């Protein structure tokens, strides 16, 4: 019989110690942090699932490539290798390096949008929305309706609602829609993938009206893997060929290399439009740097050039998606409510269903995140009432899995901690805010538990 265990397709050459703390220490630390996990020192975290962004472990090949980094201000050979790697997968004519994803977004929207414009997306990530609005445009989310039902299982829950896209274009007029975006995978919608059929359908609608399609490509390799394993006709195709097909349907992309670039910093902006590229490079020079480094060191460009290709390796993607699914399926089988099905980079706990006795105004997501820290030193992030205020339609707790960092026993530990908290959920209390900033309050807010 064939062996079925999926293993980490690497061995560990360099390790970073993680420190356990006692429950009393954690109690003191979280109190001192105003019950906000952003304010707890990373050294006091055992398993850090705050984000999968910039937290990947690099490979020996990436470290070796970094030694080749050409730090020339202009015309660096590292840029040539970076551009060749990006073009080999993404295929666009112009490749503009940036220090991270949001810098690519700022440049794109500054050049393409004006006041009164509308930019549809399956779901804008927060920085994408903020940069779009900062340029004066409206950031419009058009996910399929099922995306808002946490328990609903669908293979491509990240898809855009194409009927609403067509309606929006008819209502607003193509002149006021400078571009349409698709975020793969859909982070804010639970790390859910977008199908090739949906990308093709969106492109077709855009094509009728002459509207360019851009892909927010942060987790493109994970999306390609879901297409391979879930969409008819792709089982025999390599993730790289699938990614190439995805981007062949788009006119450009923004990318945070901190995700599927397997790098700790970096990003890029791509386009096929020569005139736009010229304007984008002018803006790049103003705030990021010369177009052959864009705010990155030559060695960062090298790490990304290698990382993009490693992220498309089948053995890596198989392990990556299996690891996230193991966490999600295991806790769900014990009754823990999660956003279904398990996403690519993260598991989202449904805190309203987990703690039905805590009303949204008492921050069930914060309450759950605090308990996971107290119980096992795990750091997660609330995506709900604290982050979005009264606009929040859900209270979720995201457990984002850094790439190639944690092993199966770490994941098993996380499962055990969540199940322990699940068993005593009835005793968990809500919170109130004692101090907050006028915007983006979740980063710095201080809270206190309500009396039981
Ligand atoms: N788009 C998506 C879909 C993202 O998830 C992120 C970052 C960005 C754009 C911005 O990229 O951070 O390099 O500027 N997401 C991180 C997260 C921060 O934790 O999900 P960036």
């Amino acid at each position: 019989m064939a062996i079925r265990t999926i293993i980490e397709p690497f061995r560990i050459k360099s390790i970073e110690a993680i420190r356990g703390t006692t429950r009393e220490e954690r109690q003191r630390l979280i109190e001192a942090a105003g019950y906000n996990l952003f304010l707890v020192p990373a050294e006091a975290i055992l398993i850090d699932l705050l984000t999968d962004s910039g937290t990947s472990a690099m490979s020996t090949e990436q470290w070796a490539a970094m030694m080749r980094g050409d730090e020339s201000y202009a015309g660096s050979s590292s840029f040539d290798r970076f551009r060749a790697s990006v073009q080999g997968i993404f295929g666009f004519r112009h490749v503009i390096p940036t220090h991270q994803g949001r810098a690519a977004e700022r440049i794109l929207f500054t050049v393409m949008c004006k006041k009164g414009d509308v930019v549809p997306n399956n779901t804008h990530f927060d920085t994408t929305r903020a940069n779009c609005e900062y340029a004066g445009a409206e950031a419009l989310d058009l996910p399929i309706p099922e995306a808002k039902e946490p328990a609903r299982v669908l293979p491509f829950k990240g898809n855009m609602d194409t009927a609403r896209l067509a309606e929006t274009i008819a209502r607003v007029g193509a002149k006021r829609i400078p571009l349409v975006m698709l975020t793969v995978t859909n982070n804010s919608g639970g790390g859910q993938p977008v199908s090739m059929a949906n990308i093709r359908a969106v492109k077709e609608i855009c094509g009728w009206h002459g509207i360019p399609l851009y892909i927010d490509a942060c987790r493109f390799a994970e999306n390609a893997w879901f297409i391979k394993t879930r969409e008819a006709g792709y089982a025999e195709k390599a993730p790289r060929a699938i990614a190439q097909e995805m981007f062949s349907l788009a006119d450009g992309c923004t990318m945070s290399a901190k995700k599927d670039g397997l790098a700790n910093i970096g990003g890029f902006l791509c386009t096929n439009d020569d005139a736009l590229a010229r304007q984008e490079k002018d803006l790049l020079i103003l705030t990021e740097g010369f177009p052959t480094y864009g705010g990155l060191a030559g060695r960062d460009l090298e790490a990304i050039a290698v990382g993009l290709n490693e992220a498309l390796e089948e053995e890596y993607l198989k392990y990556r998606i299996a690891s996230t699914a193991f966490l999600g399926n295991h806790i769900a089988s014990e009754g823990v409510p999660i956003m279904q099905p398990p996403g690519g980079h993260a598991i989202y706990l449904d805190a309203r269903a987990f703690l039905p006795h805590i009303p949204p105004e008492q921050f069930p997501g914060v309450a759950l995140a605090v308990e996971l820290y107290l119980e096992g030193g795990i750091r997660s992030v609330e995506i709900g009432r604290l982050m979005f205020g009264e606009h929040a339609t859900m209270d979720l707790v995201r457990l984002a899995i850094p790439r190639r960092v944690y092993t199966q026993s770490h994941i098993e530990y996380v499962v055990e901690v969540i199940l322990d908290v699940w068993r005593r959920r009835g005793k968990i209390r809500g919170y109130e805010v004692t101090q907050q900033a006028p915007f983006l309050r979740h980063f710095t807010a201080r809270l206190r538990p309500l009396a039981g």
Side-chain angles (χ1 to χ4, degrees):
M1 212 169 81
I3 290 174
R4 285 175 305 150
T5 304
I6 296 169
I7 60 167
E8 289 86 1
F10 48 81
R11 53 184 179 175
I12 296 165
K13 190 168 216 161
S14 175
I15 61 109
E16 183 181 3
I18 48 178
R19 191 170 75 90
T21 44
T22 63
R23 202 185 166 95
E24 291 68 41
E25 281 179 295
R26 291 195 290 279
Q27 184 67 53
R28 248 194 337 272
L29 283 156
I30 194 80
E31 223 177 288
Y35 297 90
N36 183 341
L37 285 159
F38 278 104
L39 306 179
V40 173
E43 275 196 329
I45 308 287
L46 189 64
I47 308 277
D48 201 346
L49 307 182
L50 182 65
T51 180
D52 64 319
S53 180
T55 51
S56 302
M58 292 213 297
S59 68
T60 48
E61 292 303 320
Q62 284 177 291
W63 284 109
M66 283 178 83
M67 285 306 292
R68 252 196 328 262
D70 174 355
E71 304 302 343
S72 304
Y73 189 95
S76 151
S77 61
S78 293
F79 175 71
D80 295 338
R81 285 186 283 276
F82 169 83
R83 184 175 50 191
S85 172
V86 173
Q87 284 179 330
I89 300 163
F90 296 78
F92 299 111
R93 198 149 60 232
H94 300 279
V95 179
I96 300 172
T98 59
H99 80 274
Q100 59 185 87
R102 66 197 71 184
E105 293 164 0
R106 189 189 63 83
I107 292 170
L108 176 71
F109 294 129
T110 304
V111 168
M112 292 193 82
C113 297
K114 58 181 187 316
K115 201 167 168 358
D117 285 349
V118 177
V119 180
N121 198 328
N122 46 353
T123 310
H124 288 269
F125 180 66
D126 359 348
T127 59
T128 323
R129 165 173 293 278
N131 275 298
C132 186
E133 290 172 352
Y134 193 72
E138 179 194 343
L140 181 66
D141 291 341
L142 298 176
I144 53 169
E146 297 88 338
K148 294 200 182 94
E149 300 169 39
R152 191 69 179 266
V153 178
L154 281 181
F156 292 103
K157 219 174 161 180
N159 282 353
M160 178 180 273
D161 185 336
T162 48
R164 282 187 66 205
L165 174 64
E167 264 166 45
T168 303
I169 299 173
R171 177 171 54 82
V172 173
K175 277 204 182 69
R176 281 178 52 211
I177 303 182
L179 73 159
V180 169
M181 287 192 92
L182 273 175
T183 306
V184 303
T185 57
N186 186 2
N187 183 7
S188 312
Q192 301 294 333
V194 178
S195 69
M196 193 73 84
N198 191 248
I199 302 177
R200 188 165 284 117
V202 169
K203 173 64 188 173
E204 198 184 358
I205 295 170
C206 289
W208 294 333
H209 302 277
I211 302 171
L213 171 64
Y214 276 68
I215 294 181
D216 176 338
C218 296
R219 299 177 180 86
F220 76 98
E222 291 168 5
N223 200 85
W225 184 256
F226 283 119
I227 288 176
K228 180 179 170 69
T229 51
R230 293 182 184 173
E231 192 162 352
Y234 289 93
E236 301 306 319
K237 294 208 167 120
R240 186 183 179 83
I242 296 172
Q244 287 165 336
E245 186 176 333
M246 283 161 51
F247 293 107
S248 74
L249 296 167
D251 300 280
C253 74
T254 54
M255 172 73 185
S256 167
K258 300 172 75 171
K259 284 84 168 174
D260 277 350
L262 292 172
N264 301 121
I265 195 71
F268 51 86
L269 168 61
C270 291
T271 178
N272 282 333
D273 185 317
D274 297 342
L276 278 180
R278 246 192 323 277
Q279 293 177 58
E280 286 164 356
K281 285 180 196 172
D282 289 345
L283 258 183
L284 186 82
I285 293 173
L286 193 66
T287 56
E288 293 279 304
F290 194 72
T292 59
Y293 74 87
L296 294 169
R299 55 180 175 269
D300 298 326
L301 296 169
E302 298 279 359
I304 297 166
V306 176
L308 289 170
N309 290 308
E310 289 183 351
L312 285 168
E313 284 170 9
E314 288 208 30
E315 288 306 307
Y316 158 74
L317 283 168
K318 192 193 284 177
Y319 135 79
R320 166 84 179 147
I321 301 301
S323 177
T324 308
F326 175 87
L327 170 57
N329 291 333
H330 204 117
I331 57 176
S333 72
E334 301 281 331
V336 176
I338 66 166
M339 180 77 117
Q340 287 282 10
H345 69 295
I347 293 299
Y348 295 67
L349 306 177
D350 180 350
R352 281 190 196 173
F354 198 115
L355 302 171
H357 57 288
I358 302 181
E361 57 275 16
Q362 294 179 9
F363 306 104
V366 171
L368 181 51
V370 167
E371 288 308 312
L372 296 177
Y373 178 67
L374 286 173
E375 187 75 23
I378 296 168
R379 176 154 67 176
S380 53
V381 65
E382 187 256 14
I383 301 184
R385 188 72 172 221
L386 186 65
M387 190 178 273
F388 299 124
E390 282 164 18
H391 304 297
T393 54
M394 296 189 274
D395 277 280
L396 304 174
V397 171
R398 185 181 77 168
L399 304 158
I401 322 287
R403 294 169 181 78
R404 306 192 296 206
V405 170
Y406 294 116
T407 63
Q408 177 68 10
S409 68
H410 288 124
I411 299 293
E412 284 170 12
Y413 172 87
V414 174
V415 167
E416 195 180 333
V417 170
I418 294 170
L419 294 180
D420 277 356
V421 172
W422 173 242
R423 282 182 208 109
R424 59 176 180 75
R425 61 191 180 279
K427 298 204 185 79
I428 298 170
R429 287 175 292 159
Y431 284 78
E432 64 182 347
V433 171
T434 59
Q435 194 182 310
Q436 60 182 317
F439 49 85
L440 295 174
R441 65 171 177 175
H442 54 290
F443 290 118
T444 53
R446 300 183 70 82
L447 301 98
R448 75 169 159 238
L450 290 160

